[in-house]
Amino acid sequence: MFSPRKLLVNPFNSWKNVLKVLAYSTHPLGETTTLYDFHVKRGGKMVNFGGFILPVQYSDQSIVNSHLFTRKSASIFDVSHMLQTEITGKNCVEYLETLCTADIQGLKENSATLTVFTNEKGGILDDLIVTKINEEFLYVVSNAAMKDQDQGIMLSGLANYKKLHHLDSDIIIKFLEPKARSLVALQGPRAATALQKLANVDLSTLYFMNSVVTNVGDIECRITRCGYTGEDGFELSIDSKHVEKIVTLLLDDGEVKLAGLGARDSLRLEAGLCLYGSDLNSSTTPIEGALTWLVAKRRREQQNFPGASKIVQQIKEGSKVKRVGVASTLGPPARHGAKVLDKDGNVIGEITSGCPSPTLNLNIGMGYVPTEFSKAGTKVGLKIRNKTFEGVVTKMPFVKAKYYNKPKVN
C-alpha cells in the first residue's frame, strides 16, 4: 500500500471536477427514474448522466462526507438507470456464452459473475453482471450508457445463435424499463443490519455474488449481494411502484443515508473498479485491462467467444500495456486524460480515472502504461496543467475490499 504523507494541496476543495467528469450535462432534459421527485424533495442536486437525471450529491452532506459515511455506515444509491435484462428459455446459457467470457454453465443456481461483452478484436464492449437463476433463467445488469448497444448485442446475438444452430429457440429476452423496474444499491458495513430488519430471509446465508427473491417489508424484491464500492452491500431490484416505500423504510434506520453519483465514483475508484467508457473501451482487451480473471478457464480452452484468439494469445504471451493504479501526495489529483511520464519526461501512458481519496487522504487514479512500467513501486511523472508531479504505480484496490464471502473450509 502506498504510504500517505501530508498533501501540500488540499484536493477536496476541487470536487467540482468530479461533477464535470460524472455529469455529461446539467441540462434538465433527460430520462428520469421513478425516484426523481423523491431525490428532489430530499435535496438531491440533479444532473444528466448518460441521458438519465440522477443526484450527484445531496444538500445535507458533501461528496466527501457522503463517501466517508458509506465507508463507516451505509448509503443508498439509485442505480435504476442500469439496464436490467431477463433472459429465459432452454439453451439461454449456451446462447449468452457466445457473447461474453464467463463460464455461466459452471455457475451454481442463484449465483452471479462479472463478465464482459467482447468484439472480434478482443476489445471490451461493456462489463456486466450475469446471475444464473437456473439453467433456463438469467438475470443481467449492464451499463446505462451502453443500453442501446447492449440491447443490440443481445438481440443480434440471439438471431445469430438461432441461425447457427438451425433451431427455432424458445429463448426470450426481456428488457426491464426503469419506469417498470427500479434498482437501488445499499452499500456499507451496516447495510446487512439495516436490510435484515426488513428482509424475510437470513442474510447471513447470502454470500457475495449470490441472489435471492424474497420480501422486503411486504414487497417482493430480488436481492443480490454485490455492489460498486468495495464494501459489503446489496442491489435490490424492485417493482417501481414500490421502490419509494422500500427506500423510505431503509432510511428509517438512522444509520442509512442517501448518496449520489459523486460518492459512488470515488468509492469505486478506491475499490479499484472500472468505469466503462473511461477505464475500459472497445479497444481495450480484458488482459490489458488487468481483468484476465474474467476469462474463465473453460472458455479459454474452447475459444468460442468474440475475440478469443487474440485474448488467449495475450494470456499466453502478455500484453504490451496494462491498467495500473497510481497514487500521489503532491499537487492536484491526476484526472482523466492526464499524461503519465517516465523518469526522463517521456509520455508513456494516460490516466483514465482519478480523484482525491477521502479514505486515504491522498490522490489516486488508474490508467494505462507499458507493461514494463506496471510493477508496483515504479515511480512515474504525472503531467497536470503543464506541471509535472511525482506519482508511484500502486497495487489495487487502494482500499481493501470487504465483501461478505463464504468462509473457506480447510
Side-chain angles (χ1 to χ4, degrees):
M1 176 64 66
F2 185 72
S3 177
R5 302 197 305 271
K6 184 177 179 181
L7 293 173
L8 298 186
V9 176
N10 182 359
F12 303 125
N13 291 330
S14 61
W15 274 92
K16 62 183 180 180
N17 291 316
V18 173
L19 308 193
K20 290 178 182 178
V21 172
L22 288 173
Y24 295 169
S25 168
T26 55
H27 194 280
L29 296 180
E31 188 172 351
T32 59
T33 69
T34 301
L35 288 171
Y36 174 82
D37 290 337
F38 183 83
H39 294 310
V40 173
K41 290 177 184 177
R42 296 284 180 134
K45 179 178 180 180
M46 310 304 286
V47 299
N48 188 321
F49 176 73
F52 284 83
I53 308 302
L54 293 164
V56 73
Q57 68 181 103
Y58 292 85
S59 58
D60 65 337
Q61 57 181 345
S62 67
I63 291 175
V64 172
N65 288 340
S66 185
H67 176 116
L68 294 173
F69 185 84
T70 306
R71 288 272 185 249
K72 74 175 184 178
S73 190
S75 296
I76 297 174
F77 302 83
D78 182 5
V79 291
S80 302
H81 60 305
M82 303 290 281
L83 175 61
Q84 298 182 74
T85 305
E86 293 179 347
I87 306 173
T88 57
K90 186 179 180 181
N91 299 319
C92 66
V93 170
E94 183 180 65
Y95 144 69
L96 194 60
E97 283 191 352
T98 66
L99 306 176
C100 67
T101 61
D103 180 6
I104 305 172
Q105 178 183 313
L107 289 176
K108 294 181 179 179
E109 291 191 356
N110 293 309
S111 63
T113 185
L114 179 66
T115 187
V116 287
F117 287 141
T118 50
N119 59 28
E120 293 301 331
K121 294 183 178 180
I124 298 172
L125 296 173
D126 199 10
D127 58 306
L128 55 147
I129 291 180
V130 178
T131 303
K132 179 182 177 182
I133 310 305
N134 56 52
E135 294 293 337
E136 298 187 7
F137 185 8
L138 303 176
Y139 168 64
V140 180
V141 177
S142 55
N143 287 302
M146 308 308 293
K147 175 181 176 180
D148 292 341
Q149 174 205 259
D150 291 353
Q151 289 177 335
I153 288 172
M154 285 184 269
L155 291 172
S156 62
L158 179 56
N160 291 335
Y161 177 80
K162 290 180 178 180
K163 183 177 180 180
L164 179 64
H165 293 276
H166 306 289
L167 53 81
D168 184 19
S169 173
D170 65 347
I171 295 173
I172 297 173
I173 300 175
K174 182 180 180 181
F175 301 116
L176 308 179
E177 292 299 323
K179 292 297 185 183
R181 196 77 182 174
S182 294
L183 189 67
V184 295
L186 175 65
Q187 300 284 294
R190 285 193 56 82
T193 301
L195 185 57
Q196 186 65 79
K197 296 175 183 178
L198 304 170
N200 189 28
V201 67
D202 182 0
L203 295 177
S204 69
T205 64
L206 186 69
Y207 298 104
F208 180 59
M209 297 301 274
N210 281 263
S211 186
V212 65
V213 173
T214 189
N215 278 7
V216 176
D218 58 352
I219 296 165
E220 185 177 275
C221 303
R222 172 169 294 284
I223 301 175
T224 305
R225 199 156 198 160
C226 66
Y228 196 47
T229 64
E231 295 289 338
D232 181 26
F234 308 86
E235 289 187 354
L236 284 70
S237 180
I238 311 163
D239 188 316
S240 289
K241 63 178 177 282
H242 299 305
V243 65
E244 185 172 332
K245 179 179 179 180
I246 294 294
V247 171
T248 301
L249 286 171
L250 288 168
L251 288 172
D252 286 342
D253 185 312
E255 299 298 321
V256 178
K257 291 185 179 182
L258 292 168
L261 294 171
R264 188 168 184 256
D265 191 59
S266 55
L267 287 160
R268 69 91 188 169
L269 186 50
E270 285 188 345
L273 301 173
C274 298
L275 173 65
Y276 190 83
S278 291
D279 309 306
L280 305 171
N281 58 45
S282 60
S283 299
T284 310
T285 70
I287 317 310
E288 295 163 349
L291 298 170
T292 303
W293 62 275
L294 294 184
V295 188
K297 181 179 179 181
R298 177 175 65 84
R299 307 306 309 285
R300 300 179 193 185
E301 295 170 351
Q302 295 179 344
Q303 296 193 34
N304 54 355
F305 58 89
S309 58
K310 179 174 181 177
I311 290 172
V312 172
Q313 181 181 8
Q314 285 189 337
I315 291 173
K316 294 178 179 178
E317 301 176 2
S319 60
K320 293 181 179 180
V321 299
K322 186 177 180 181
R323 179 176 63 93
V324 297
V326 179
S328 64
T329 57
L330 302 178
R335 300 191 183 276
H336 180 89
K339 303 302 181 186
V340 181
L341 314 177
D342 65 13
K343 63 180 181 179
D344 297 318
N346 301 307
V347 175
I348 57 171
E350 187 172 290
I351 296 297
T352 54
S353 285
C355 74
S357 165
T359 304
L360 302 175
N361 195 32
L362 50 79
N363 297 321
I364 60 173
M366 63 174 72
Y368 288 82
V369 298
T371 301
E372 58 265 33
F373 291 89
S374 65
K375 185 178 180 180
T378 301
K379 292 183 178 180
V380 294
L382 300 170
K383 191 171 184 180
I384 307 168
R385 294 193 290 274
N386 294 319
K387 292 184 178 180
T388 301
F389 301 89
E390 183 181 296
V392 61
V393 174
T394 308
K395 289 182 179 180
M396 293 188 286
F398 299 99
V399 174
K400 186 178 179 180
K402 301 172 185 175
Y403 303 129
Y404 182 72
N405 291 300
K406 189 173 184 177
K408 294 182 178 180
V409 178
N410 295 328

